């Protein structure tokens, strides 16, 4: 499968715990995006990487959230001290040079108890 | 007011019907327009990508953009039960890399 992959697909955690999600983009795609989607809403932009550089962050990305893309390949999104309001689907998308058609992965569904 | 407005539905139609889905937007900087289909608990899947005002057709799907009215539409002909999903409009500004701004999505149910 050469699409965007995300791991894990589901995560249940207790409030206050830290969680980390991984995204593997389509190979050779140099741009990687993270979005968050809550029930009944469209995805909302969180942050964007071009290669290993994080070029844009949304105000939604509080200081409890951090994202990395070492070596410009896969990316991780970490949420520290999770809150119930963090419960959502976390979506990753990637796009290639010369085009910005964004292809999405299956998402990681986070439930904070 | 949200930058992108989309009726959340649900919209229920019989099999074979023509479906019309719409979004309005307020930001004149939006120049590229997309429609994504999202099945329950899955990631969005790109259906249509348009830039110019006018129509773009792909199989049973037609995307329509009217930049002067800030209004986009997706038409689905000969709708099938497998078309039952949430349809998200998305748009972005110019530049080779830009975040997408989505509508809330319209939930469509095609019944037998």
């Amino acid at each position: 499968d050469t699409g965007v992959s995300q791991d894990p697909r589901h995560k249940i955690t207790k409030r206050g715990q830290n969680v980390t999600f991984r995204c593997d983009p389509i190979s050779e795609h140099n741009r990687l995006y993270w979005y968050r989607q809550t029930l009944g809403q469209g995805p909302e932009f969180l942050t964007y990487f071009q290669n290993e550089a994080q070029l844009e962050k949304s105000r939604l990305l509080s200081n409890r959230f951090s994202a990395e893309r070492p070596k410009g390949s896969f990316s991780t999104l970490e949420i520290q001290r999770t809150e119930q309001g963090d419960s959502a689907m976390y979506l990753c998308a990637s796009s290639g040079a010369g085009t910005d058609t964004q292809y999405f992965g299956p998402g990681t569904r986070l439930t904070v108890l | 007011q949200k930058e992108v407005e989309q009726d959340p539905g649900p919209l229920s139609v019989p099999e074979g019907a023509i479906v019309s889905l719409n979004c309005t937007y307020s930001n004149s900087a939006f120049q590229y327009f997309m429609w994504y289909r999202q099945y329950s608990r899955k990631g969005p899947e790109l259906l249509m990508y348009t830039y110019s005002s006018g129509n773009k057709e792909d199989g049973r799907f037609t995307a329509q953009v009217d930049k002067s009215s800030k209004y986009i539409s997706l038409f689905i002909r000969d709708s099938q039960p497998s078309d039952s999903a949430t349809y998200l409009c998305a748009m972005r500004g110019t530049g080779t890399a830009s975040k997408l701004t989505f509508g809330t999505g319209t939930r469509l149910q095609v019944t037998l």
Side-chain angles (χ1 to χ4, degrees), chain A residues 27-90:
Chain A
S27 60
E28 299 179 2
H29 275 191
N30 63 335
R31 300 189 193 96
L32 188 148
Y33 301 79
W34 285 99
Y35 292 82
R36 180 172 68 186
Q37 185 177 25
T38 54
L39 199 62
Q41 300 298 316
E44 293 178 293
F45 171 78
L46 291 178
T47 190
Y48 147 67
F49 290 86
Q50 181 159 312
N51 300 314
E52 66 275 9
Q54 187 174 17
L55 297 185
E56 188 174 352
K57 290 167 58 173
S58 163
R59 289 171 299 164
L60 292 175
L61 214 65
S62 77
N63 54 14
R64 296 185 298 106
F65 288 70
S66 62
E68 294 181 342
R69 194 183 181 196
K71 303 178 183 178
S73 56
F74 71 91
S75 176
T76 58
L77 178 68
E78 181 184 16
I79 308 174
Q80 296 182 326
R81 304 181 303 282
T82 52
E83 301 174 355
Q84 287 185 324
D86 297 331
S87 295
M89 173 82 93
Y90 289 84

Side-chain angles (χ1 to χ4, degrees), chain B residues 37-56:
Chain B
R37 177 175 62 195
Q38 186 174 29
Y39 291 110
S40 181
R41 299 182 177 272
K42 304 289 185 183
E45 171 194 8
L46 181 66
L47 284 177
M48 301 288 283
Y49 186 110
T50 58
Y51 169 69
S52 306
S53 283
N55 294 351
K56 180 179 180 179

Side-chain angles (χ1 to χ4, degrees), chain B residues 7-13 18-21 84-85 106-110:
Chain B
D7 188 334
L11 178 63
S12 183
V13 301
I18 296 174
V19 176
S20 172
L21 303 166
S84 298
T106 299
R107 190 155 60 91
L108 171 67
Q109 182 74 38
V110 181

